[in-house]
Every structure is written in structure tokens, then in C-alpha cells.
Amino acid sequence: MTAEHEDTGEVALITGASRGIGYGIAEALVARGDRVVITGRNEEALCEAVERLGADRAIGVPGKAHDEAHQAHAVERAMEAFGRVDHLVNNAGTNPVFGPLAELDLAVARKVFETNVVSALGFAQRTWAAWQKENGGTIVNIASIAGIAPSPFIGAYGVSKAAMINLTAQLAHEFAPRVRVNAIAPAVVKTRFAQALYENREAEAAAPYPLGRLGVPEDIGGAAAFLTSDAAAWLTGQTLVLDGGLFLNAGVGA
């Protein structure tokens, strides 16, 4: 399948997509024929991602997800370049600290929520106003299994992702029937963002997973492609857990 032979005519805005999960999603949507607007903090990495995706299919908008001016600019660029924003994927996230909540600097907690939750709401508000309110579309929020069950040492991240799951349900209720809103909650995916969780111990990290491996960005890309397609036309307000079967082990112990 090539861009010359496939064109859905649809446009996706994907935050935090210069690499990792966001890039995997962008790649999947471009492969099916969408055009994409991708964001990221690192302009050089963003330019490289656009080049790999194809300059005729993708544009990059550098900036920080929690910056309201950046949010506005990204949506404006999408409308200027392509005239529409059918799909929003809120993938940008941060986890700048490891440690117990009892010792967490509240300034860090605020940063986590600004980037992981408030920015997602900001982008949703802007894509809704610019295109989706009148024309419909989809939103996919990237959550985490840490938002479903406690995860040691990444409590602030997990709490923010639990908020993202609730935000998904709330937006799905408010934006229906024009816009479908769903979330994806991955377990550990092999990205630079999650590297500390598996580096130099991947076999050990993957051992609890019934499917025998950690996730890769393509796994999330395929799920996002489904949720933003007509195949998911009667699906909204849901959180799709992509965990390689990890939760099948819940409650099993000696």
C-alpha cells in the first residue's frame, strides 16, 4: 500500500509523535492513507519523523504539549495545511520522577498533570471547536495500565493516567454523537520513554506477560488505527487494555 494508491482524505493530529508510541500511531495512520500533523518538543527529531513518514503526508509542529499557544498553533496548522482534523490522538506524556507519592514534590505532580491530562483536554477542546463539532471524528487518548492498577514508584504518572481514562468517558458522553472518544491503556512498550523499566533486563521484564514479550509501538498503532476507523463505529467511552495478557495473572500467587 502506498500513498499514491490510498488516500482516505482524513487528517489526524497526533501529539508527542516524533518517536515511540506516537510515531508508531502516525505510521499506522499514514499507511492506511491519512495525512498527519505530529507534534513534539524536539524539532530535529520531529523533522526526521516527518521525513520518514513522507513530507507529502505529514507536517510537524514543534512545541510543548501543555503550552496553550502550541495547542492552538498545532490545530491552526492542521486546518491551514489540510482543512480538517478528523482524528485527535493525545499521546504526549511525561514521567519525570520515580518514587513514592509520600515524598513527591507537588510542583512535579502539577507538571505531570499539566502534560498528561490538562493538555489532552486542551487539544480536545480545540479540535472540537475547529472541526469535530460540526463534522464529527474521533479522539484516542493514550492512557496506561498504571491508570488501572497501582504501579510502584510511578504513582503520579498512574494517577494522571487514571484521570485520562475518566476524561475519556466524560468527553465521550459530552461529544456524542458527533465524536467517538476512546482510550488505549498499554503495559510496558519498548520505547525510550519506558527504557528504564526494561533496559538490560528485557527477558526478566517480559517474563510475567503470557504472550511472552513486551509491547512495541506497532501494537499501539494498530489499535489506534482500529479505534479511529469505521470498524469501531459503535464504540465510544471505552479503554482498550493492551497488556500482552499481563492482567490475566492478577491474583495468582503462591
Side-chain angles (χ1 to χ4, degrees), residues 36-173:
V36 298
V37 178
I38 61 174
T39 76
R41 292 177 297 172
N42 186 313
E43 188 167 3
E44 183 179 354
L46 202 58
C47 289
E48 292 172 357
V50 167
E51 186 175 350
R52 292 196 303 274
L53 292 167
D56 59 328
R57 309 300 299 179
I59 61 173
V61 183
K64 296 179 179 179
H66 67 272
D67 182 348
E68 291 186 42
H70 167 64
Q71 296 166 17
H73 181 52
V75 175
E76 286 166 5
R77 283 289 291 122
M79 294 301 294
E80 289 167 0
F82 301 128
R84 57 195 297 157
V85 185
D86 301 278
H87 312 295
L88 168 65
V89 180
N90 281 310
N91 171 69
T94 189
N95 183 36
V97 64
F98 288 83
L101 287 178
E103 301 170 6
L104 181 65
D105 184 335
L106 293 183
V108 174
R110 293 185 186 97
K111 178 180 179 181
V112 170
F113 269 78
E114 282 285 341
T115 301
N116 294 4
V117 185
V118 181
S119 73
L121 174 58
F123 273 106
Q125 289 175 336
R126 293 180 186 279
T127 55
W128 169 259
W131 176 262
Q132 293 184 336
K133 181 178 181 179
E134 298 299 327
N135 300 281
T138 72
I139 297 173
V140 176
N141 294 323
I142 305 304
S144 169
I145 62 166
I148 298 172
S151 296
F153 306 114
I154 57 171
Y157 178 78
V159 173
S160 75
K161 292 303 186 176
M164 179 74 102
I165 290 169
N166 190 271
L167 176 66
T168 297
Q170 188 67 30
L171 289 177
H173 186 269

